[in-house]
């Protein structure tokens, strides 16, 4: 008891010291605090043991801890940037036109990382190459988060930096034009994608020229047209599409994954959320729940297995409320174990005991999360399967059994 009290006192002191210095403690620093505190109060963990504790994140070891520190992908405090792809090949498209370059910067959750993989695929099909620097990009796309005010403040600061990039590029182009030398690329189109774009919509276009286009999470297929519209200049050059969809899952688009992603991959299985929690903005920025067809999910997992992927994370805003009711799903309503009479209330049939929500789940005849999870695990017994983010109400016994 006294050792644990000492542990938390030391952690609290470290937290206060970090805040007084103007920053927030990182996961690594918190892990070191707990490891060193435990060492000091427990009377004698060795130096190698203390180092091992510090290296393990608070939520336990992941796949990267077993296969080496140089592999992995995902969202972090810093933006995720898609490395250059396709630029070593021909610089012109099949039509003979100059191929354009796009730079994608991603902030926020794993779903945003997965969405940026969709964006990369959509742009690649429209004669865009990916570049890992904004300096030579024709389009700079920032995939954003709106879950907290701090996340949006970071994006506003980044957009002001990118405005300076646009200004400098335009000045270079004017100087080249006056001197009669080879003209450089025009100033880039700056686009705001994702949840912040969906929340603020046109306000982003009105904010001192910080953004040229805005696209919500369900409008990524429209990005090539939006970039061309923004490039047009004038009032018609301000392009926006924040229409949420009841059907869009991007099931037919093969994501373009980061070349340094290692043996892990994200697989989106559903989008949106119906829970309408009082504190959460997700239903308003991501829309209503809709599930991706099971067949396309299993096809993607098989492809990842063939490519050597060793871990997949199934993604969704409320991932375990997955319910594929498409005609090709082959759902089995009898998969839920019930009494002979069977529960007549939808909450009793599909939720964990004691849970209700503001809407009644409609999952009769649908392939539900437990069935999908079992099918994904069968694709490759050597592949590790994770999922996030789950909700407690959608953890009935059938999921626990799987």
């Amino acid at each position: 008891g006294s050792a644990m009290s000492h542990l938390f006192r030391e952690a609290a002191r470290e937290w206060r010291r970090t805040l007084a210095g103007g920053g927030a403690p990182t996961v690594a620093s918190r892990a070191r605090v707990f490891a060193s505190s435990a060492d000091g109060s427990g009377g004698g963990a060795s130096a190698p043991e203390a180092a091992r504790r510090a290296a393990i994140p608070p939520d336990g070891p992941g796949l990267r801890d077993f296969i080496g520190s140089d592999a992995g992908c995902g969202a972090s405090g810093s933006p995720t940037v898609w490395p250059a792809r396709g630029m070593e090949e021909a610089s012109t498209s099949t039509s003979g036109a100059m191929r354009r370059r796009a730079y994608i910067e991603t902030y926020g959750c794993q779903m945003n990382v997965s969405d940026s993989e969709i964006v990369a695929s959509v742009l690649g099909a429209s004669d865009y190459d990916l570049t890992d620097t904004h300096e030579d990009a024709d389009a700079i796309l920032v995939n954003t988060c709106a879950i907290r005010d701090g996340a949006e403040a970071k994006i506003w600061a980044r957009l002001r930096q990118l405005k300076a990039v646009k200004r400098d590029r335009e000045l270079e182009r004017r100087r080249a034009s006056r001197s009669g030398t080879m003209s450089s690329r025009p100033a880039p189109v700056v686009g705001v994608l994702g949840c912040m774009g969906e929340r603020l919509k046109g306000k982003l276009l009105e904010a001192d020229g910080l953004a040229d286009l805005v696209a919500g999470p369900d409008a990524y297929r429209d990005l090539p047209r939006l970039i061309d519209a923004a490039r047009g200049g004038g009032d018609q050059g301000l392009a926006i599409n924040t229409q949420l969809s009841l059907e869009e899952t991007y099931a037919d688009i093969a994501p373009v994954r980061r070349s340094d992603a290692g043996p892990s991959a994200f697989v989106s299985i559903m989008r949106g959320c119906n829970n309408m929690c009082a504190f959460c903005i997700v239903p308003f920025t991501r829309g209503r729940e809709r599930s991706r067809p099971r067949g396309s999910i299993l096809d993607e997992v098989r492809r990842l297995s063939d490519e050597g992927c060793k871990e997949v994370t199934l993604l969704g805003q409320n991932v375990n409320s997955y319910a594929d009711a498409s005609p090709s799903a082959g759902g089995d309503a009898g998969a839920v174990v019930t009494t002979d009479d069977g529960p007549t209330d939808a909450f009793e049939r599909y939720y964990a005991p004691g849970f209700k929500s503001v809407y009644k789940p409609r999952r009769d005849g649908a392939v539900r999360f437990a069935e999908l999870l079992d099918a994904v695990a069968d694709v490759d017994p050597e592949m590790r399967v994770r999922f996030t983010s789950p909700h407690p109400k959608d953890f009935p016994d059938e999921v626990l059994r799987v």
Side-chain angles (χ1 to χ4, degrees):
S2 61
M4 185 60 69
S5 298
H6 175 74
L7 171 70
F8 282 103
R9 282 198 300 272
E10 287 299 312
R13 290 192 190 103
E14 177 66 18
W15 185 277
R16 287 194 293 270
R17 282 196 296 269
T18 307
L19 292 180
T26 63
V27 171
S29 68
R30 289 199 298 271
R32 285 193 294 272
V33 169
F34 279 86
S36 62
S37 300
D39 180 39
S41 62
S46 64
E49 174 66 13
R52 185 191 67 80
R53 292 175 184 171
I56 297 178
D59 63 345
L63 181 65
R64 301 183 191 94
D65 299 298
F66 297 97
I67 61 177
S69 59
D70 59 343
C73 69
S76 64
S78 301
T80 301
V81 176
W82 260 242
R85 182 187 294 266
M87 293 174 62
E88 70 281 359
E89 300 169 358
S91 60
T92 57
S93 68
T94 55
S95 64
M98 176 71 72
R99 288 181 65 89
R100 294 167 290 184
R101 298 174 182 175
Y103 172 79
I104 305 173
E105 200 169 273
T106 307
Y107 295 81
C109 64
Q110 297 98 322
M111 182 61 83
N112 273 10
V113 175
S114 177
D115 279 357
S116 290
E117 295 172 348
I118 296 295
V119 170
S121 181
V122 169
L123 293 180
S126 297
D127 288 334
Y128 279 88
D129 290 326
L130 298 184
T131 176
D132 53 9
T133 175
H134 59 68
E135 296 175 356
D136 59 353
D138 299 293
I140 300 174
L141 304 176
V142 184
N143 199 351
T144 61
C145 175
I147 198 68
R148 295 182 181 90
D149 182 66
E152 291 194 357
K154 184 184 295 185
I155 302 302
W156 283 117
R158 182 57 173 151
L159 290 176
R160 285 189 285 272
Q161 294 173 350
L162 294 176
K163 182 181 179 181
V165 172
K166 289 177 58 180
R167 181 191 62 229
D168 293 345
R169 184 88 68 83
E170 188 59 37
L171 289 175
E172 291 177 7
R173 187 174 177 83
R174 290 176 182 174
R175 284 196 293 267
S177 178
R178 286 195 296 267
S179 64
T181 59
M182 179 70 69
S183 176
S184 62
R185 289 179 179 266
V189 169
V190 175
V192 176
L193 316 182
C195 293
M196 184 174 170
E198 187 66 42
R199 191 182 83 81
L200 296 179
K201 297 179 171 64
K203 293 180 181 179
L204 287 160
L205 300 178
E206 300 165 1
D208 197 25
L210 295 181
D212 303 305
L213 73 85
V214 176
D218 293 343
Y220 297 145
R221 294 179 190 269
D222 199 27
L223 274 173
R225 184 195 67 81
L226 292 174
I227 295 173
D228 289 342
R231 179 74 67 196
D235 292 338
Q236 73 276 14
L238 300 180
I240 181 170
N241 185 344
T242 54
Q243 181 70 44
L244 289 174
S245 171
L246 293 174
E247 300 176 349
E248 181 63 87
T249 63
Y250 301 109
D252 60 323
I253 295 179
V256 174
R257 292 190 163 83
R258 289 160 43 85
S259 59
D260 59 348
S264 300
F266 296 130
V267 177
S268 174
I269 69 169
M270 57 88 67
R271 302 178 71 84
C273 183
N274 289 347
N275 286 332
M276 301 299 290
C277 300
F279 57 84
C280 185
I281 197 174
V282 166
F284 303 98
T285 59
R286 289 280 182 173
R288 300 287 298 275
E289 280 185 6
R290 60 269 191 204
S291 297
R292 179 178 169 186
R294 177 177 62 172
S296 71
I297 297 170
L298 296 180
D299 287 344
E300 183 172 348
V301 173
R302 290 188 192 100
R303 183 169 63 251
L304 290 169
S305 176
D306 293 341
E307 293 171 357
C309 184
K310 298 302 182 183
E311 177 185 77
V312 294
T313 302
L314 307 181
L315 295 182
Q317 271 71 41
N318 187 19
V319 66
N320 52 344
S321 68
Y322 176 88
D324 175 20
S326 62
S328 60
D332 180 9
V336 177
V337 178
T338 66
T339 63
D340 291 339
D341 294 333
T344 57
D345 184 85
F347 298 124
E348 295 181 36
R349 287 202 304 274
Y350 302 125
Y351 285 175
F355 281 95
K356 289 194 174 183
S357 63
V358 296
Y359 70 98
K360 285 191 176 182
R362 295 183 176 89
R363 302 178 188 175
D364 292 336
V367 173
R368 295 182 294 279
F369 184 65
E371 299 170 72
L372 175 70
L373 196 60
D374 191 43
V376 170
D378 283 341
V379 169
D380 183 352
E382 300 299 320
M383 179 184 286
R384 185 176 185 175
V385 180
R386 288 182 163 186
F387 56 89
T388 191
S389 295
H391 193 286
K393 70 176 174 56
D394 293 300
F395 260 107
D397 289 348
E398 62 183 61
V399 175
L400 299 179
R401 281 192 290 271
V402 172

